[in-house]
Amino acid sequence: MHEKLQKNVDNKLLTIKQIGSRGEGISNLTTEVNYRKSDYTFFIPFTLPDEIVVVKPTHYTTEGIRADLVEIKSPSPKRIEPKCEHFFQCGGCLLQHWNFEDYSCWKVSKISLPILRISPKTTIKTIKTSSIKSRRHAKFKAKKNKSNTIIGFNEYRSKFITKIEKCIIIESELEKLIHDLEKPLNKLLGVGDEIDIHANLLDNGVDLLISGIDKIDYFKLNIFNEVISKSSVIRFHRRLKDNTNELLFTKDLSSLSNKSFSSITFPPPGGFLQATIEGENAILESVMLGLNENKKTKLICELFCGSGTITLPLLKKPYQIHAFELDEESLKSLDIAARKESFGNRVKTKVRDLKNFPLTSDELSKYDAIIVDPPRSGAKLQFLNIARSNVSIIVSISCNVNTFIRDAKILIERDYELKWVQPIDQFLFSAHVELVALFQLK
């Protein structure tokens, strides 16, 4: 249920009790909203614990009341001045206004509190945090108005686009891309057109994928290509209605290197890559640490492998890897990179819908270790089979602590011990936090 409230609803005076899992301030108040008196839970972005605030209720949901911040009557001593000029408008960041130490502790507690409830002896390691100006992929929104084309991010919980001039999160080349695209997009688009821009920063420049321009003719596209070919863009695809990608130009090798692990991948257009190189390295270091718990590990099963961000660095070691993934383009990219590095005989890839057709416990039982990196929704069916496989080492990577807890319980109930968890913050000032966890069979 999601009901928009009338504009004449009275403002409310609240005391913020805590920051919730989505990064919003939470408060409770017995009051009347839309002629319904009840004890309501309020969710208010851009607030901090112990602050006294005036808010405007905007939506009624099954969880409670969503509200906008109107005034801070009593600010928290932990409140600081945000570093970004677009904060409070752009929806990319929620927590720049919080003292960094407290913000970081909150992220760790998002992971540690629920994990220690199901596994009190688990070691929670010190969080590894990415730097500002380090995000190497972004999804921008763009819309052409009568006078100009704006490029930026959606406002928080809104379809309105905030025009971005500067961003403290993304790499400088992606920030420059916004300005490089404004004029050519203004000529390409029609008034009212709204598009999605997927930008990945690779070794030699930006890999660009645009959704929403499938009806534009080649004459206009060629003009657009000519202009952006002089920018940092090295490859440009457009997303078609059948969800395939059409290559419109390429001028350089679309590779992505990890110098720390001497590996190279070839991500598909719009393909997933870890948000920052620091975050990627933190994940890889943790995965390798987990695998080293069993010195006899030789044959590894990697589930949800993507285009090989983890696979390829591991092949620098004497492992055999069977890698499974639903996306065919990602597996093709992995195979190309493996052949270039002469790893082809040590990695086998297979397309598989692991969410609906997980590997069975019998299929899994031959492996020395399993690496599993599911989407945010987790992989309950796959974890049920992993739990019955009796594989001694399980390294789990997750971007959603709620589904991680659900799936971890399955392993713990089948005699696996959750040894340690490494929190990783790649998404600065957002509510997102990732983790790598090691499970060992008792």
Side-chain angles (χ1 to χ4, degrees):
M1 182 180 177
H2 195 274
E3 176 189 338
K4 190 172 183 177
L5 298 175
Q6 296 177 0
K7 290 184 178 180
N8 62 358
V9 172
D10 291 338
N11 290 351
K12 306 295 179 184
L13 184 69
L14 302 173
T15 299
I16 304 300
K17 300 300 182 187
Q18 65 189 54
I19 300 297
S21 61
R22 296 191 190 97
E24 301 164 310
I26 295 178
S27 182
N28 291 92
L29 181 69
T30 300
T31 187
E32 185 179 284
V33 176
N34 265 20
Y35 309 107
R36 292 180 293 231
K37 189 169 184 178
S38 184
D39 182 16
Y40 291 106
T41 300
F42 285 79
F43 301 91
I44 313 98
F46 310 120
T47 56
L48 293 176
D50 301 321
E51 289 188 329
I52 300 173
V53 296
V54 178
V55 307
K56 179 75 172 179
T58 59
H59 292 83
Y60 175 80
T61 74
T62 50
E63 293 179 305
I65 304 292
R66 303 212 166 276
D68 291 336
L69 177 63
V70 175
E71 182 185 355
I72 302 171
K73 290 286 190 181
S74 176
S76 165
K78 305 292 187 179
R79 179 174 284 272
I80 62 172
E81 191 67 26
K83 293 181 179 180
C84 179
E85 63 188 73
H86 302 295
F87 189 68
F88 298 119
Q89 290 182 315
C90 170
C93 294
L94 266 181
L95 296 163
Q96 283 189 34
H97 61 300
W98 203 358
N99 170 288
F100 193 81
E101 184 178 345
D102 291 89
Y103 151 81
S104 195
C105 287
W106 171 76
K107 281 213 165 176
V108 173
S109 69
K110 275 191 70 173
I111 286 176
S112 63
L113 294 178
I115 285 175
L116 293 175
R117 278 197 288 269
I118 65 166
S119 180
K121 293 183 180 179
T122 297
T123 299
I124 308 294
K125 298 190 175 187
T126 303
I127 193 167
K128 293 187 177 181
T129 303
S130 295
S131 308
I132 61 171
K133 301 294 289 183
S134 64
R135 183 87 58 83
R136 57 186 179 171
H137 76 81
K139 182 179 178 182
F140 302 110
K141 288 281 189 179
K143 184 175 183 178
K144 181 171 180 176
N145 301 314
K146 288 183 180 180
S147 57
N148 65 347
T149 295
I150 58 171
I151 304 174
F153 298 111
N154 284 126
E155 294 179 9
Y156 184 64
R157 293 192 178 277
S158 168
K159 292 183 179 180
F160 290 106
I161 300 170
T162 296
K163 178 181 170 67
I164 298 296
E165 297 290 345
K166 293 182 180 180
C167 178
I168 68 167
I169 301 299
I170 60 176
E171 291 260 13
S172 297
E173 283 188 58
L174 293 181
E175 186 181 284
K176 185 176 183 299
L177 176 72
I178 297 173
H179 303 289
D180 289 343
L181 289 178
E182 282 178 349
K183 288 182 179 179
L185 279 178
N186 199 50
K187 292 181 179 179
L188 183 70
L189 302 177
V191 174
D193 285 351
E194 191 167 328
I195 62 172
D196 292 324
I197 302 168
H198 305 257
N200 283 343
L201 183 59
L202 306 183
D203 292 337
N204 301 311
V206 177
D207 186 19
L208 191 66
L209 171 65
I210 298 182
S211 303
I213 59 170
D214 49 290
K215 293 181 180 178
I216 294 177
D217 62 60
Y218 287 105
F219 178 75
K220 279 189 170 183
L221 285 169
N222 285 336
I223 296 172
F224 181 75
N225 284 351
E226 189 176 338
V227 177
I228 66 168
S229 66
K230 297 171 185 174
S231 71
S232 60
V233 176
I234 58 167
R235 186 172 69 171
F236 169 42
H237 288 77
R238 66 172 170 175
R239 177 73 48 85
L240 301 178
K241 280 207 167 178
D242 63 359
N243 244 13
T244 59
N245 300 322
E246 180 185 15
L247 177 63
L248 296 172
F249 95 80
T250 183
K251 68 178 183 182
D252 212 332
L253 188 66
S254 53
S255 61
L256 182 65
S257 302
N258 185 320
K259 294 178 182 178
S260 297
F261 291 89
S262 304
S263 64
I264 184 168
T265 58
F266 297 90
F272 172 81
L273 44 137
Q274 294 298 337
T276 70
I277 187 61
E278 294 163 304
E280 180 177 305
N281 287 343
I283 290 171
L284 282 167
E285 288 163 4
S286 298
V287 168
M288 290 183 177
L289 187 64
L291 294 176
N292 285 339
E293 288 293 327
N294 182 357
K295 304 297 183 185
K296 296 179 180 179
T297 296
K298 290 183 180 179
L299 184 60
I300 297 171
C301 175
E302 187 183 357
L303 304 171
F304 306 96
C305 66
S307 56
T309 302
I310 294 171
T311 322
L312 293 158
L314 287 180
L315 288 169
K316 294 285 182 179
K317 296 179 178 291
Y319 294 130
Q320 294 275 342
I321 301 178
H322 294 176
F324 298 85
E325 167 65 42
L326 176 60
D327 186 67
E328 290 186 47
E329 290 301 312
S330 293
L331 285 186
K332 285 178 185 176
S333 298
L334 196 165
D335 287 331
I336 289 169
R339 285 197 299 271
K340 282 183 177 290
E341 294 284 336
S342 300
F343 293 148
N345 64 334
R346 292 200 290 114
V347 60
K348 292 181 180 178
T349 60
K350 187 173 179 60
V351 175
R352 182 113 168 203
D353 180 359
L354 296 167
K355 292 280 288 182
N356 297 308
F357 301 98
L359 267 67
T360 66
S361 56
D362 286 342
E363 289 176 297
L364 291 165
S365 61
K366 65 184 176 184
Y367 296 105
D368 300 314
I370 297 171
I371 301 166
V372 54
D373 185 5
R376 288 189 61 80
S377 55
K380 183 178 180 180
L381 293 177
Q382 187 61 84
F383 271 85
L384 285 167
N385 291 347
I386 291 172
R388 291 191 287 263
S389 70
N390 287 331
V391 175
S392 62
I393 296 288
I394 313 295
V395 179
S396 178
I397 304 159
S398 176
C399 59
N400 184 338
V401 69
N402 294 325
T403 53
F404 172 80
I405 293 294
R406 181 199 67 199
D407 296 342
K409 283 180 180 177
I410 295 169
L411 295 183
I412 291 169
E413 288 168 3
R414 293 285 298 199
D415 272 344
Y416 281 90
E417 184 179 2
L418 179 50
K419 300 289 287 184
W420 52 255
V421 170
Q422 174 63 67
I424 298 167
D425 185 7
Q426 291 194 82
F427 296 92
L428 277 177
F429 309 121
S430 76
H432 297 299
V433 61
E434 294 169 286
L435 64 88
V436 180
L438 173 65
F439 295 89
Q440 276 188 295
L441 192 62
K442 292 179 182 176

